[in-house]
Structure formats: structure tokens, C-alpha cells
């Protein structure tokens, strides 16, 4: 879509408001709105000014002026606003130099693609994330000097079998038994279908939706794969649509990886493949029908996985999910079909076009522009350096003997540990000036100060159960 076509779309749809959206550094969508009269062809070249010092992880106050640069090919009509609103996703630029901002996540993703093209290895990187989420009926939490708690509730939750709901109709979901039940056990089918229809109206191709494994409203909606930057755009819209649809039904959707103790958490298994000249590069006659290029890419993912996870699993809550026993892979190995390996080679289709790997560690708190870019950079490093992923592990990793398991590297056990791994291993991200040193340093500093240290300072409610009477 060109700027002229965007203006025509706005007129056709009767848009009265222009909403500019962009991604902040940690991974939250931001926006600012204008009367639709401000939408001109010139604005796509000149941009809109805003205060970059008020965005988390960005500019100092003495360098606050920045530009929002609308990207015409991202325009869509917001399906929720009562006043017709045209949304356009923006890149961020420096108003003095006109250059793309180094800490703009979308710019980093664009640079990752440019670097891939410059290597000559591939011209397209397809990505397909499977982002899971919970839909709750109530959420309360508080963090005060004298009080801290959280309270979640879902009419589906197994803990509500004895609740007087006036009347309680039963059909609660037992722990870890929420995969694929029909209504009335699955109470969210119509809401998910509504989410899907909103996604389609916003240009997202959807493959399917279903209830997920956990009790208490865990769901998944699968999008069809897309090129990397486009998929990151779609994932941000996906999260917005899910939250907004749930909100309109008096419910609350969350992408926290581990909101419930003792049940499955929400992951974002991410499929990736490389193509060149419309030909899939991962299809071959090797293990699981994969090419040598594909195996080297997997070698890069496994070599750099502990550093990658600082971007693909960027919350302290992420590491409540990355523990053994809940289908979340903590062992860094690869396999075909085996879902206990951190890298899986799906075997659903024999078609060469379907050949891809699935990195199973990520979760949906990730900033998709950064997470997908980091994965691509690790895969390219593996291909360039012909990294050997080792032997596949075609058995249940959790059934291995202690001696066998000891030889398999594992994911970091905390955000602090993954940030240290990133500090120790990030040269592969700096190639092509994709992730600049200030991006890596700022990410580590921001996460350490605002999340790792912030959590360390606060008593945990369970500590009272363990220690209050000592």
C-alpha cells in the first residue's frame, strides 16, 4: 500500500482519527492520535514529532525530540474504536540526522533482514509464532510496603467446582486437561472466534484456534507464517486484538508465561525457515528431511540459545515456566517430533516448503521484533560458521538417566542468568550493525534495574508460609 492508497482507504472507510502506533523498547505497543486531516502524503516523509525521553529505555531528556515515521504498508482500520480510526505502524527516526533510531525494535528487525540479504544466504525469513494466552474473569493484585498479593479467577478453573455460582453448572477443567475440549467445558470458543474475525479484518491470516492445556482459560490462536518484520507487526496486532476482545466481554487476557501455579504456562513456540529465490533452503535429504544449511542454522540456535533467551524469554515470570515437567523445554537439544526438545523439527508434511525448525523456548512476553531478529542472527551465525548441532535426541529427555541428562546443556534458570549469558555472548548480534552495542547494553541495564533487582527487593508471599513462624 502506498501513501496515496492509505489516504484513499481512510476516505473509503470514513476514518475520522489517525492513530500512530509504535513499539517501545521492552515490548509494549504505544500510540498517539490525530484528526484524520493530518494524514497527507507529506507526513509519510516528514513524520510526526514526539517526546522520546518518556518512552522506556529510550532517549535522555536532553535528546528527547524524535520522529514517528508512518509505514504505509501497515495501515488498517481499528475494529474496536467507536469513532472510525485508521491505524498506521511507525518506525522511529532522529529528527536531526533523519536516520533510523538504533533502539527502535522495528528498525532492528529491518536491519536483521538487510543483513541476511547482504550475506547472500537467503532473501526471505519466514516466522510462525504460536502465542498462548489466558483469559480470566477476574484479576486483582497489590504491591505495597505492608501488603502483596495476587488473585486470579476463571469460571473454568478446577478450583471452582465447589463455588456457589448461582447455579454452578459444573464442566470445570481439571489441571493439564484443557487441550481441545468442546463447549460447554470450553467456555471461550465464541470469544476466540470473534478474536479470529477481528484478526482477519486487520489483515492477519489465521489457521486455527483452540483451548490449550491448562485449566482456567488457556487458549491459542495460530497465525499463518509470514516474513519476519510483517509477522512481528501481526503479532503485536494479535495481542492487541486478544486483549481488546476479552475486555469487551468483561474478561481479561494476559500473555504472562506462568500466571497459575501447578499447571502449564503459556509459551510461544516459534517456527522459522529461510528461503532464496522462492526456494526453501531447509529442505534436503538429511536428518528429518532437512538440509545441511538447516542443520547449521539449528547449530547456531543451540550455541547461542542461552543468550537468545534474554530476548525470547525476557521477564522474571518467564523462568517460572522454564522448569521441567510442563512441556516447557529446559534442555538444549534438537529432535524431530519430540516436544521435549528445545528445537523440534515438525513432521506434519513431507513438502519441502514445510521444512522448518521450531524453537520451543520463547514465550509471548517477548518483544517480537527483537526476539525474531535475535533468532535469525543466531541461525545465520550457525550457517556462516557451519556449526554442528550434534546428535539428535529422539527420546523423552525427561526420562533420561541422570548420567545422560548431565551431558545436555540447559536453559538459564532466571532472567539474571540469561542477561549474564547475553553479556558474555552477543558478538553474533552485532554483525551488520543489527543489534548495536547500546541496544545490548541498554537491554541488560534496563532489565537488571527495573525487573531483576526490583523483584529481589520484595518479600514473596510464600516466604511468609515458609519462614514467618521460625
Amino acid at each position: 500500500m502506498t501513501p496515496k492508497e492509505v489516504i484513499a482507504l481512510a476516505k473509503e472507510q470514513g476514518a475520522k482519527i489517525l492513530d500512530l502506533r509504535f513499539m517501545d523498547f521492552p515490548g509494549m505497543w504505544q500510540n498517539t492520535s490525530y484528526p484524520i486531516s493530518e494524514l497527507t502524503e507529506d507526513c509519510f516523509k516528514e513524520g510526526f514529532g514526539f517526546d522520546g525521553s518518556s518512552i522506556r529505555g529510550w532517549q535522555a531528556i536532553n535528546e528527547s525530540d524524535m520522529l514517528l515515521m508512518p509505514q504505509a504498508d501497515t495501515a488498517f482500520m481499528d475494529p474496536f474504536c467507536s469513532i472510525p480510526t485508521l491505524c498506521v505502524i511507525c518506525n522511529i527516526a532522529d529528527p536531526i540526522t533523519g536516520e533510523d533510531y538504533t533502539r527502535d525494535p522495528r528498525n532492528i528487525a529491518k536491519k536483521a533482514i538487510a543483513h541476511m540479504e547482504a550475506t547472500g544466504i537467503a532473501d526471505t525469513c519466514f516466522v510462525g509464532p504460536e502465542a498462548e494466552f489466558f483469559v480470566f474473569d477476574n484479576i486483582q493484585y497489590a504491591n505495597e510496603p505492608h501488603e502483596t498479593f495476587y488473585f486470579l479467577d476463571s469460571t473454568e478453573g478446577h478450583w471452582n467446582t465447589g463455588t456457589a455460582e448461582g447455579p454452578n453448572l459444573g464442566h470445570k477443567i481439571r489441571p493439564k486437561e484443557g487441550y481441545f475440549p468442546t463447549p460447554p467445558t470450553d467456555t471461550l470458543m465464541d470469544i476466540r472466534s470473534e478474536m479470529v474475525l477481528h484478526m482477519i479484518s486487520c489483515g492477519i491470516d489465521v489457521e486455527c484456534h483452540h483451548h490449550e492445556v491448562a485449566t482456567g482459560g488457556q487458549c491459542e490462536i495460530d497465525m499463518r507464517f509470514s516474513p519476519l518484520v510483517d509477522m512481528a507487526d501481526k503479532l503485536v496486532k494479535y495481542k492487541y486484538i486478544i486483549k481488546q476482545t476479552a475486555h469487551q466481554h468483561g474478561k481479561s487476557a494476559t500473555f504472562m508465561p506462568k500466571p497459575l501455579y501447578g499447571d502449564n504456562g503459556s509459551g510461544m513456540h516459534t517456527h522459522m525457515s529461510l528461503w532464496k529465490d522462492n526456494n526453501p533452503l531447509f529442505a534436503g535429504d538429511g536428518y528429518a528431511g532437512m538440509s545441511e544449511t538447516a542443520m547449521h542454522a539449528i547449530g547456531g540456535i543451540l550455541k547461542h540459545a542461552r543468550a537468545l533467551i534474554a530476548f525470547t524469554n525476557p521477564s522474571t515470570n518467564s523462568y517460572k515456566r522454564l522448569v521441567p515437567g510442563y512441556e516447557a523445554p529446559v534442555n538444549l537439544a534438537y529432535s524431530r517430533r519430540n516436544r521435549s526438545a528445545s528445537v523440534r523439527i515438525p513432521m506434519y508434511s513431507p513438502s519441502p516448503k514445510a521444512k522448518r525448525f521450531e524453537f520451543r523456548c520463547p514465550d509471548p512476553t517477548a518483544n517480537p521484533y527483537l526476539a525474531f531478529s535475535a533468532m535469525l542472527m543466531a541461525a545465520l551465525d550457525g550457517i556462516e560458521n557451519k556449526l554442528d548441532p550434534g546428535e539428535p535426541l529422539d527420546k523423552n529427555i525427561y526420562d533420561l538417566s541422570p548420567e545422560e541428562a548431565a551431558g545436555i546443556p540447559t536453559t538459564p534458570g532466571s532472567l539474571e542468568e540469561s542477561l549474564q549469558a547475553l553479556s558474555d555472548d552477543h558478538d553474533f548480534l552485532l554483525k551488520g550493525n543489527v543489534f548495536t552495542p547500546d541496544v545490548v547494553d541498554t537491554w541488560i541495564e534496563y532489565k537488571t534495574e527495573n525487573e531483576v533487582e526490583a523483584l529481589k527487593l520484595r518479600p514473596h508471599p510464600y516466604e511468609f508460609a515458609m519462614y514467618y513462624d521460625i
Side-chain angles (χ1 to χ4, degrees):
M1 194 179 299
T2 65
K4 185 174 291 186
E5 290 171 333
V6 173
I7 294 170
L9 174 66
K11 290 180 179 178
E12 177 188 323
Q13 297 294 324
K16 298 185 182 302
I17 296 294
L18 169 65
D19 196 52
L20 302 179
R21 301 193 179 180
F22 64 99
M23 181 64 84
D24 73 5
F25 200 47
M28 286 288 291
W29 223 11
Q30 309 291 322
N31 78 308
T32 183
S33 302
Y34 295 82
I36 199 65
S37 58
E38 295 297 309
L39 179 65
T40 65
E41 289 190 55
D42 288 341
C43 78
F44 290 90
K45 298 177 182 177
E46 298 171 0
F48 294 81
F50 76 106
D51 177 8
S53 68
S54 296
I55 305 300
R56 297 179 299 170
W58 278 9
Q59 295 290 79
I61 196 167
N62 60 309
E63 301 173 313
S64 60
D65 289 354
M66 304 191 78
L67 288 175
L68 292 167
M69 305 300 295
Q71 303 299 296
D73 59 349
T74 68
F76 67 99
M77 293 297 296
D78 190 295
F80 302 102
C81 294
S82 56
I83 296 173
T85 299
L86 178 77
C87 302
V88 185
I89 298 174
C90 298
N91 287 351
I92 310 301
D94 185 293
I96 297 176
T97 65
E99 295 179 354
D100 292 328
Y101 182 46
T102 58
R103 294 184 210 166
D104 171 17
R106 196 171 191 275
N107 175 42
I108 291 170
K110 290 175 61 182
K111 288 194 294 181
I113 296 303
H115 172 68
M116 174 190 70
E117 293 170 345
T119 65
I121 292 172
D123 54 32
T124 307
C125 174
F126 285 117
V127 179
E130 300 173 1
E132 298 165 339
F133 56 96
F134 281 86
V135 177
F136 292 117
D137 293 292
N138 187 48
I139 165 66
Q140 299 166 248
Y141 56 90
N143 291 282
E144 304 297 339
H146 72 296
E147 174 188 39
T148 182
F149 77 94
Y150 69 89
F151 177 81
L152 297 168
D153 203 11
S154 164
T155 58
E156 293 183 353
H158 68 89
W159 55 84
N160 277 322
T161 55
T163 302
E165 295 180 334
N168 188 325
L169 300 178
H171 302 294
K172 308 304 182 186
I173 297 176
R174 289 179 289 271
K176 304 186 187 181
E177 293 188 19
Y179 196 63
F180 280 24
T182 60
T185 302
D186 176 5
T187 67
L188 299 167
M189 182 172 177
D190 279 344
I191 293 177
R192 289 196 309 273
S193 292
E194 189 175 323
M195 292 170 177
V196 166
L197 294 179
H198 285 318
M199 290 177 188
I200 293 170
S201 76
C202 292
I204 298 173
D205 294 324
V206 178
E207 294 184 335
C208 67
H209 72 78
H210 56 83
H211 203 287
E212 257 297 340
V213 172
T215 187
Q218 191 182 34
C219 300
E220 181 177 319
I221 300 174
D222 290 336
M223 297 178 283
R224 190 173 301 279
F225 65 88
S226 287
L228 189 151
V229 178
D230 181 56
M231 179 50 76
D233 289 341
K234 287 178 177 176
L235 183 57
V236 180
K237 288 194 285 187
Y238 170 99
K239 294 176 73 171
Y240 171 73
I241 289 168
I242 286 169
K243 291 177 183 178
Q244 278 281 63
T245 307
H247 189 77
Q248 289 190 334
H249 284 269
K251 299 178 184 291
S252 178
T254 181
F255 291 88
M256 276 184 70
K258 193 72 171 179
L260 295 180
Y261 167 71
D263 212 328
N264 282 42
S266 292
M268 188 176 71
H269 308 146
T270 302
H271 300 251
M272 181 171 281
S273 65
L274 298 182
W275 290 54
K276 187 173 184 180
D277 298 329
N278 294 317
N279 293 311
L281 298 182
F282 283 1
D285 56 6
Y287 174 80
M290 298 289 268
S291 66
E292 186 178 49
T293 296
M295 301 313 294
H296 291 324
I298 292 172
I301 293 288
L302 293 176
K303 176 182 178 181
H304 300 297
R306 290 175 60 84
L308 277 182
I309 285 171
F311 288 111
T312 63
N313 303 77
S315 72
T316 57
N317 186 252
S318 299
Y319 302 87
K320 304 295 193 296
R321 167 183 168 262
L322 282 181
V323 293
Y326 296 96
E327 289 193 15
V330 296
N331 296 283
L332 298 174
Y334 76 97
S335 175
R336 60 185 173 191
R337 303 179 65 184
N338 189 344
R339 295 174 189 270
S340 63
S342 61
V343 176
R344 185 177 75 95
I345 301 169
M347 300 297 292
Y348 295 124
S349 171
S351 171
K353 294 181 178 180
K355 284 304 173 186
R356 62 196 188 273
F357 67 77
E358 174 194 33
F359 189 37
R360 294 179 60 80
C361 294
D363 68 57
T365 57
N367 183 327
Y369 300 101
L370 301 181
F372 300 161
S373 298
M375 284 181 58
L376 174 58
M377 295 300 288
L380 292 174
D381 185 69
I383 294 168
E384 289 179 308
N385 292 293
K386 301 187 183 304
L387 297 180
D388 184 356
E391 294 298 314
L393 197 56
D394 288 328
K395 51 186 171 181
N396 191 332
I397 295 174
Y398 300 127
D399 290 340
L400 295 178
S401 68
E403 292 76 20
E404 290 177 298
I408 303 173
T410 60
T411 58
S414 67
L415 178 58
E416 183 174 25
E417 193 177 333
S418 69
L419 292 172
Q420 183 59 56
L422 177 62
S423 178
D424 295 339
D425 175 26
H426 61 261
D427 286 350
F428 70 101
L429 297 171
L430 304 181
K431 293 180 180 179
N433 203 37
V434 175
F435 285 77
T436 55
D438 80 295
V439 168
V440 175
D441 292 344
T442 302
W443 185 261
I444 293 170
E445 291 167 7
Y446 180 90
K447 288 286 177 178
T448 299
E449 180 180 347
N450 293 282
E451 300 178 32
V452 173
E453 297 298 337
L455 192 65
K456 280 184 180 180
L457 292 171
R458 287 161 170 79
H460 190 285
Y462 197 61
E463 290 177 318
F464 285 83
M466 292 191 294
Y467 307 128
Y468 187 79
D469 59 351
I470 288 179

